[in-house]
Amino acid sequence: MLRQMVATKTDSGLATYREKRKPGSTPEPFGATKPPASRFVVQLHAARARHYDFRLEHGGVLLSWAVPKGPSLDPADKRLAVRVEDHPVDYVDFEGVIPEGNYGAGAVIVWDRGRFEPANDFDAGLESGKLLFDLYGYKLRGRWTLVKTKRGANDWLLIKERDGHVRHGDAARLPEDSVLSGRTVEHVASGVDDTQTLADACREAGARPAKVRITDVRPMLATPGKPFSDPRWVFEIKYDGYRLLAGKEAGRVRLLSRSGRDLTDVFPDVAEAVAALPCDPLLIDGEVVVHGPDGLPSFAVLQQRGLLTRRADIARAAVRLPATLYAFDLPLAAGHDLRPLPLVERKRLLARVLPSVGAIRFSEHIPTDGERMFAEVGRLGVEGIVGKRADSPYVGRRSADWIKVSTRTRDDFAVVGFLPPRSGGQPFGALLLAQRAADGWRYAGRVGSGFSARDFAALGPKLAAAAPAPPPAGADDESRDARWLEPCAVVEVRFKSRGAGGRLRQPVFLTLRDDKAPEDCHAPADDEPPAAALDAPEAPTDERPRRTVKVTNRDKLFWAEDGYTKGDLVDYYVAMAPFLLPYLANRPLVLTRYPDGIDGKSFFQKDAPGFVPDWLRLETLWSEGSERDIRYFIVEDDAGLAYVANMASIPLHVWSSRIGSLERPDWCILDLDPKGAPFEHVVRVAREIRALCDEIGLPSYPKTSGSTGLHVLIPLGARYTHEQSRSMAELLARWVVRRLPDIATIRRQVQARDGKVYIDYLQNGHGRLLVAPYSARPVRGATVSMPLRWEQVTSRLDMRRYTIKTAPRLIAKQKEDPLAGVLREAADLPAALDRLARLLSAR
């Protein structure tokens, strides 16, 4: 039940939680010109005969079909759709009652709406009688078709195509209420005064009538804490978005940030949904998010919307990147002040106001079991949880009655200083961070990686304008070069863990948080959970029990000519675990198994067999090609490495993205495949890629393939889509081929390469695989895919030097993994694209 609830809460009706690759579901390629967004709407119409009006925006009108039985998520249901007259586009949000005596008299609700994208030539499809399109709605998702029948001139069939959004039986039933108002068509027809009905419910709950303006209410804030369980508490998901107070008074809607900034014009889709709620006045407290392609809230995508200022851009983004307000409290409603009521009463009343799905979603909660919920959301890649006393009143300040618990992979920090750059060109070398504790500011360490040119440009003026200040507590051992300032900005930072004194380990800058004030950055408590939970079970720790794996057939030869055994393979992977595991962490793994060694038969294994032990982590993802769920291995420790190696897995291939952000890769790859070309040409091409990357401001890192070629990786920091990554890789590859036409090519067919080095940019994509750094290879010599420093990429490079016997000793001599920047940095692709465009125009 817990996993089901978490999945539902992160779904939003716009994308399922578990990754399901959908035809046409990916964003536009990086740098592509975006056509105007098109909308669709399905209106449930209780006219003379109850039916659904299915409408697609095209050519400045709404093309319309009447669907008597309504759309079905089951491809076996071929629903009659009768083509009717076109409607004006402003009808897309109509909900109400068409008076008697008029055409179509009766009640109408917006049953579903969103955007649609044609998958074939739409005008030609209208002419030929077959339309194929993708829907991105709250209830209808994935690919659909409208096909004309021979029965009547206007008769078509509406059919769901087979993809990850297909449902059968009871699972195919969809809510009948409006995605805007939450009302059914019968409720609209009844003419009931919803405000009066809600006012009666508020009085029954114990609330008193009061005239309180929405601008007089301050948001209740949570205190950082630790996971716990308590029957007096309820637990909600902590979302990665902007806190929002959404209010309506006398028909006027206002969306206010935590600091009081008016965001109504920034999120018109949410404002429109608030306006449609059948109650006035009211005030809803929640978190506004924009979901990424993986279904999880994406703060990076939310910021894309938050920074828009032109009305046309905002309107387009509202269709392409729809926002969702997760509503978790109701301070005011129907002229009543609900703040003194217990939380669960306020939430009960809130649930009455909201639609079942739509742009505003009710934030569900789980009672008592905070520890298990915390463990589950952490495994699913969700931001964290918020614990709330079930009987807590709503107070406009920070309170111990609400406890926020992060999954500890990221947090917000105030910038309290900086270190100068080691070389010119940037305003700082690292940011100095702090959070507020009970006794004042507490130093949290420095962050010096993950910045793009845009980040430097945004942060530089803030640092320059800040006044000098003394260092915070705990900063005594910081560099003498540190420049200490008054808290001047808030940044979000990802880190591995907190060390002694709260110092961050392996921090990486993620983004600037303009929606928060430095005073809102609170340090986690050092003591026990809140008083109400002192008798709760001890919180789970990150410590995992030590596991041992029995290695079978250790002496079986896997590299017969070299004398290396299965035991040697297992020992190598266990020895390399500290270096290899960071590249496997939270990432789907694909095995290639060689039960009889490299000279025997081999086979790929994506789907984990049923006999794997319970302690080995598996993640179930939908495979569009196989049209089924696949259970992928996720290796998290040396025991997991030993287990998959004992399964005779020689090379380990990984996705470029992680669970929780599967549509946001961590790296872009250019795979250099010689296939008969001299290796010195491979080196020349690799160094030319590096020169181009340096020229346009992209970091780049090389490694051997472990076989015959080289890989060049560009860190992306999970900021861009696979399509954007592949588009940039293609541009780089084409430019390098232009510079080295005699030795480089992008022609995929081997016979067409003419002995040139093939630059493969097509390895960038959802589910595309990379042989993991330090992975062993099934070739003579037992070579491995070895990370390199650029000064090692010369004509003298001999990848036969790096084997399962030599690699542990060679890497131990180095102070740092040469490829570590791939996991901690983030390229600025828009800035690089601009520089590349200028480079092209100059030549």
Side-chain angles (χ1 to χ4, degrees), residues 29-44:
F30 181 67
T33 301
K34 295 182 179 180
S38 295
R39 296 168 292 178
F40 84 92
V41 64
V42 181
Q43 287 157 315
L44 180 52

Side-chain angles (χ1 to χ4, degrees), residues 370-388:
E371 289 164 298
R372 197 157 65 92
M373 181 175 178
F374 178 75
E376 183 70 11
V377 299
R379 194 174 73 81
L380 296 176
V382 183
E383 177 81 359
I385 64 172
V386 179
K388 300 178 179 179

Side-chain angles (χ1 to χ4, degrees), residues 136-187:
Y136 301 82
Y138 297 104
K139 298 176 183 178
L140 305 182
R141 301 281 296 176
R143 183 151 293 182
W144 297 72
T145 187
L146 274 165
V147 59
K148 200 170 185 180
T149 72
K150 296 180 179 179
R151 191 174 66 175
N154 296 319
D155 289 354
W156 298 60
L157 295 176
L158 177 63
I159 307 168
K160 178 75 188 75
E161 294 289 321
R162 296 188 180 277
D163 57 23
H165 298 287
V166 166
R167 298 291 184 272
H168 305 282
D170 289 342
R173 293 181 181 175
L174 294 167
E176 292 203 346
D177 61 320
S178 163
V179 296
L180 289 180
S181 66
R183 298 183 295 176
T184 63
V185 70
E186 291 81 9
H187 190 93

Side-chain angles (χ1 to χ4, degrees), residues 410-690:
R410 60 175 64 185
D411 206 349
D412 297 325
F413 298 86
V415 176
V416 294
F418 66 95
L419 295 180
R422 294 180 180 178
S423 58
Q426 303 297 355
F428 59 88
L431 296 178
L432 306 177
L433 310 174
Q435 290 179 316
R436 287 186 66 85
D439 54 352
W441 289 104
R442 179 185 299 171
Y443 187 54
R446 64 173 80 168
V447 59
S449 63
F451 299 101
S452 67
R454 187 173 300 174
D455 299 324
F456 282 118
L459 285 161
K462 294 180 181 292
L463 299 178
D476 301 338
D477 59 345
E478 189 50 83
S479 167
R480 292 183 179 180
D481 295 331
R483 314 283 177 81
W484 299 104
L485 306 169
E486 291 286 347
C488 58
V490 176
V491 295
E492 186 177 3
V493 175
R494 182 177 66 221
F495 52 94
K496 183 176 182 180
S497 61
R498 294 181 190 258
R503 299 286 182 94
L504 304 184
R505 297 179 58 201
Q506 301 181 21
V508 180
F509 173 85
L510 292 178
T511 189
L512 176 66
R513 294 290 303 249
D514 284 327
D515 63 310
K516 298 186 75 172
E519 291 74 21
D520 293 327
C521 299
H522 286 257
D526 291 329
D527 52 7
E528 294 298 317
L534 288 178
D535 56 349
E538 185 177 348
T541 68
D542 292 333
E543 293 295 325
R544 293 188 179 92
R546 294 292 300 173
R547 306 187 188 279
T548 57
V549 175
K550 182 180 179 181
V551 180
T552 58
N553 300 320
R554 283 190 64 92
D555 297 328
K556 188 171 185 177
L557 284 172
F558 270 22
W559 288 268
E561 291 188 9
D562 305 290
Y564 296 143
T565 66
K566 179 181 178 181
D568 292 326
L569 175 69
V570 176
D571 292 344
Y572 167 74
Y573 275 133
V574 172
M576 294 303 293
F579 301 97
L580 176 54
L581 286 174
Y583 298 96
L584 305 184
N586 217 28
R587 211 178 292 279
L589 180 67
V590 176
L591 313 178
T592 310
R593 297 175 59 183
Y594 288 78
D596 297 313
I598 69 169
D599 296 319
K601 292 183 179 180
S602 65
F603 59 94
F604 278 101
Q605 181 141 26
K606 293 182 180 180
D607 207 353
F611 56 75
V612 299
D614 292 340
W615 57 263
L616 194 62
R617 180 181 170 190
L618 304 176
E619 284 289 344
T620 302
L621 306 178
W622 176 262
S623 169
E624 196 65 43
S626 304
E627 292 193 351
R628 65 183 180 92
D629 285 334
I630 290 180
R631 298 191 310 161
Y632 283 91
F633 290 93
I634 308 290
V635 171
E636 301 179 299
D637 53 25
D638 53 0
L641 267 176
Y643 188 89
V644 297
N646 188 52
M647 292 175 67
S649 308
I650 295 180
L652 305 177
H653 288 83
V654 293
W655 288 29
S656 61
S657 54
R658 304 177 191 240
I659 299 296
S661 56
L662 287 173
E663 286 303 324
R664 300 277 167 173
D666 290 313
W667 58 68
C668 169
I669 178 176
L670 291 169
D671 183 357
L672 310 185
D673 181 6
K675 281 291 192 297
F679 186 69
E680 53 265 31
H681 288 180
V682 178
V683 170
R684 280 187 61 194
V685 173
R687 296 193 68 84
E688 190 63 40
I689 292 173
R690 187 211 181 177

Side-chain angles (χ1 to χ4, degrees), residues 28-34 724 727 833:
E28 295 78 5
F30 181 67
T33 301
K34 295 182 179 180
Q724 291 167 340
S727 296
L833 185 66

Side-chain angles (χ1 to χ4, degrees), residues 739-754:
R739 285 183 171 181
L740 300 174
D742 296 334
I743 65 170
T745 183
I746 56 172
R747 303 189 71 173
R748 192 169 181 83
Q749 297 80 12
V750 176
Q751 61 272 21
R753 296 181 193 173
D754 296 327

Side-chain angles (χ1 to χ4, degrees), residues 55 66 194 205 565 620 714:
R55 311 186 196 278
D194 292 281
T565 66
T620 302
I714 297 166

